[in-house]
Amino acid sequence: MDDSSRPDHLAFTIDLTLEEARRRAEVLAALGPDWDPVAALRSEEAAHRLLYSGLDAEQERTFAMLVEAGVLPGRDAGDAASH
């Protein structure tokens, strides 16, 4: 938005790069040295498989419809970037 033609407005910007770096450092510090991102991802994938296992026929159709629509990842989607 260009407000340069309006004398009653002052345009300014804020660089949040330093704040974002600090926030990320705080998150990693809070997770602690024992946090294993690979193990966390494997646990999430196992939970996803368990959540959508044992569906009846109607639930399977609904699941397939949601996957087709892009609402849910497929059972073998791999990583989040693939959908």
Side-chain angles (χ1 to χ4, degrees):
M1 182 162 91
D2 183 13
D3 290 327
S4 58
S5 63
R6 299 202 44 184
D8 58 336
H9 285 81
L10 174 65
F12 71 94
T13 59
I14 299 174
D15 183 0
L16 297 176
T17 305
L18 183 62
E19 179 59 26
E20 179 62 13
R22 188 202 59 77
R23 185 195 66 80
R24 288 181 184 194
E26 291 294 331
V27 167
L28 290 176
L31 289 170
D34 298 328
W35 180 64
D36 182 356
V38 174
L41 179 59
R42 287 186 183 134
S43 294
E44 287 180 24
E45 290 170 344
H48 183 267
R49 283 190 302 275
L50 182 60
L51 180 62
Y52 295 110
S53 66
L55 302 178
D56 64 29
E58 182 180 349
Q59 292 168 330
E60 282 288 346
R61 284 191 301 276
T62 301
F63 177 80
M65 178 186 66
L66 293 172
V67 169
E68 182 69 27
V71 175
L72 292 176
R75 285 194 169 95
D76 297 321
D79 63 348
S82 67
H83 59 277

